[in-house]
Amino acid sequence: VESLDGSLYLAQENVNINRENRKALVKIVKTLDVDLVILHSRWSTYDWPSLKLLINSLDNGKRSFLLLGPVPEYDFNVPEKMLKEVVSFRSTLNSEFFDDKFRDDIQKMQILDKMEKVQFVSLIGAFCSPACQLSTSSAKPYYLDSNHLTLTGARKIKPILREVLLNMQLTGILPSK
């Protein structure tokens, strides 16, 4: 992952923050002297006590943490559903549905967000404002399946990440190099 200033950061997909992975991640982050740790996963994979321990064990006053909330998840394969519905399918779900679905997890993230140098960002609004969109207006799907983004879907969160990272630099949460 390339940062705003061109430096590279370690990104690990589908990190299940449990005891063993936490120890390995701490070692890697400390060895590489990483300034910013970005974590994103499905809510169901987070072990909340281990996540808090991870943040505490890496927080030496210089590391920052960006916790990305989930993207909306569906109980069907989005491209397959679009194809079967001749590209006319639109989700009837809205942001309130996902806010309710993830309410407990969002509250846990907001508690972590109160820690110094930790920033939480929900990604639901990128896809649901308020109605949830499964694709672009030209029918390019945002999802590969029910919960993994395509490049088109990932581009939806790019402006959010840019804004958050810039704001983290401006407020001193993330050191600028």
Side-chain angles (χ1 to χ4, degrees):
V1 176
E2 189 171 346
S3 72
L4 295 175
D5 66 0
S7 52
L8 297 177
Y9 295 102
L10 173 69
Q12 177 63 45
E13 185 180 341
N14 294 326
V15 176
N16 182 2
I17 306 298
N18 58 31
R19 188 170 186 262
E20 290 75 31
N21 288 342
R22 185 181 76 243
K23 286 180 178 180
L25 191 55
V26 166
K27 183 178 179 181
I28 291 168
V29 167
K30 286 183 176 181
T31 301
L32 296 176
D33 198 27
V34 174
D35 293 325
L36 174 63
V37 178
I38 301 175
L39 297 171
H40 171 70
S41 189
R42 299 178 76 182
W43 291 117
S44 59
T45 64
Y46 281 121
D47 171 348
W48 293 104
S50 288
L51 181 58
K52 190 170 183 176
L53 280 170
L54 172 69
I55 291 171
N56 286 330
S57 40
L58 286 173
D59 184 20
N60 60 1
K62 76 173 201 172
R63 283 189 188 82
S64 301
F65 301 87
L66 178 55
L67 307 174
L68 299 177
V71 297
E73 296 179 16
Y74 298 95
D75 60 357
F76 53 85
N77 182 302
V78 172
E80 184 179 304
K81 183 84 162 178
M82 289 175 63
L83 186 61
K84 286 180 181 176
E85 301 288 333
V86 194
V87 189
S88 64
F89 180 78
R90 289 283 182 237
S91 173
T92 57
L93 301 176
N94 59 34
S95 56
E96 284 182 29
F97 171 82
F98 290 106
D99 287 340
D100 286 342
K101 179 178 179 178
F102 297 124
R103 182 172 316 284
D104 291 342
D105 295 309
I106 288 172
Q107 288 172 348
K108 289 173 187 170
M109 280 291 197
Q110 288 170 335
I111 290 169
L112 294 174
D113 187 55
K114 290 181 174 42
M115 297 172 71
E116 188 177 348
K117 294 198 167 236
V118 176
Q119 176 80 41
F120 165 68
V121 177
S122 174
L123 298 178
I124 294 171
F127 299 92
C128 305
S129 58
C132 297
Q133 302 297 314
L134 303 175
S135 67
T136 65
S137 58
S138 60
K140 290 183 181 177
Y142 293 136
Y143 295 86
L144 290 170
D145 50 26
S146 65
N147 66 330
H148 292 96
L149 297 177
T150 60
L151 286 176
T152 303
R155 285 187 191 105
K156 292 275 290 177
I157 64 172
K158 186 176 180 178
I160 295 169
L161 290 178
R162 281 191 180 280
E163 181 180 337
V164 169
L165 291 172
L166 182 59
N167 195 26
M168 289 176 78
Q169 284 183 331
L170 293 174
T171 58
I173 294 174
L174 178 64
S176 50
K177 294 184 177 185

